[in-house]
Amino acid sequence: MTIKAVCFDLDDTLLWDERSVREAFAATCESAAAKLGRLNPEELEEAVRREARSLYESYETYPFTTMIGINPFEGLWATFSAGEQPEFRQLEQLAPIYRKESWRRGLLALGVDDEVLAGELAEQFGRERRSRPHVYEETFQVLKELKGKVKLLLLTNGCPALQQEKLDGVPELAPYFDEIVISGNFGKGKPDSSIFRHALERLAIEPGEGIMVGDKLTTDIKGALSVGMTAVWVNRDGKTLSGEIIPDYEIKHLSELHELLDKLSSVNPT
């Protein structure tokens, strides 16, 4: 079959979310060190990441956030103000407590008991993250070249409000896509096969006519393979394949998609 559509993951495929989070932590922790004058910023970041993850996993909403695909560090700046499921209302109430408590526990782990400072740092982290909507340098060029040649769909895990906020932070991005599917709106996240079948239905294509491009083996690649889509793993950092999830193709840069699409077209000519 001819490839008629390309589905893209959002975070760390088109948007450089990892960098945004890393820089937000660095700026916030350096601010804390400057205020206290006796704190190692790197140690504080490590402590807050550890405490946030532990606290996040302790909530009864954890199975839901895992299913939808919302990670602990997104919870440190998400408002959870959208989404129809009742769990989003729970998360909306929990979020301010979770943000402050994560920083309070992180500080406490380094011997600093300061609830007021924890609240200030929690608010600062959100501001810092929102001010850093990083995009990979090749993202727009690749989308521009693909637009009109194939259908484009954005398939992203996460809270509807947060993923929309990320898109709003880079307003040039969304117009490239014919369809946008956010797991929090659909009700299940990648790698569940149902969200991939939903994406195929929105595109009106057969599995063999679409490819999924993403950076995470356990969500993007596993889910695409489960429905028979061509799975393309974006491996920018040279990670080693391990386990049973084997992508159909591996690329280091989104620009390699052009050659891959040409190759697939020659293998499956019209």
Side-chain angles (χ1 to χ4, degrees), residues 1-3 208 211 230 248-249 258-270:
M1 292 185 179
T2 301
I3 299 300
I211 70 173
T230 298
D248 294 305
Y249 298 95
H258 301 301
E259 182 178 349
L260 177 56
L261 286 171
D262 288 341
K263 177 180 178 181
L264 290 171
S265 295
S266 65
V267 171
N268 302 307
T270 55

Side-chain angles (χ1 to χ4, degrees), residues 52-207:
R53 189 179 293 108
S54 176
L55 187 59
Y56 194 75
E57 294 176 359
S58 73
Y59 293 136
E60 65 176 16
T61 52
Y62 181 61
F64 175 77
T65 54
T66 300
M67 178 186 70
I68 295 297
I70 308 168
N71 70 54
F73 311 124
E74 289 178 315
L76 287 178
W77 66 291
T79 60
F80 300 106
S81 59
E84 295 181 0
Q85 295 91 334
E87 288 88 350
F88 280 124
R89 303 292 71 76
Q90 291 179 270
L91 288 164
E92 188 175 12
Q93 293 182 338
L94 275 173
I97 301 168
Y98 167 69
R99 291 195 292 268
K100 182 177 180 180
E101 186 65 6
S102 294
W103 284 94
R104 189 190 72 80
R105 292 186 182 193
L107 288 167
L108 197 59
L110 301 184
V112 177
D113 187 359
D114 192 330
E115 189 170 341
V116 173
L117 178 59
E120 293 173 353
L121 296 176
E123 292 302 313
Q124 181 181 348
F125 179 85
R127 293 194 302 272
E128 299 286 356
R129 173 57 187 83
R130 287 181 173 86
S131 70
R132 292 170 167 79
H134 292 304
V135 183
Y136 289 105
E137 60 179 358
E138 75 271 23
T139 291
F140 289 117
Q141 184 62 34
V142 170
L143 291 175
K144 180 179 178 181
E145 292 166 354
L146 291 177
K147 182 69 173 175
K149 296 180 180 178
V150 292
K151 292 181 180 179
L152 297 176
L153 181 142
L154 186 64
L155 183 59
T156 176
N157 275 358
C159 166
L162 183 62
Q163 297 311 95
Q164 187 60 53
E165 186 171 357
K166 291 177 184 178
L167 291 172
D168 291 344
V170 188
E172 311 96 315
L173 190 60
Y176 281 100
F177 293 94
D178 301 287
E179 301 284 348
I180 295 176
V181 176
I182 299 174
S183 67
N185 284 328
F186 177 70
K188 289 187 178 180
K190 299 174 289 185
D192 194 278
S193 60
S194 64
I195 195 171
F196 285 87
R197 288 194 294 269
H198 175 67
L200 293 170
E201 290 172 3
R202 292 274 291 268
L203 291 166
I205 62 170
E206 297 297 320

Side-chain angles (χ1 to χ4, degrees), residues 45-57:
E45 177 179 347
E46 182 180 352
V48 173
R49 283 180 179 265
R50 181 178 63 249
E51 296 297 334
R53 189 179 293 108
S54 176
L55 187 59
Y56 194 75
E57 294 176 359

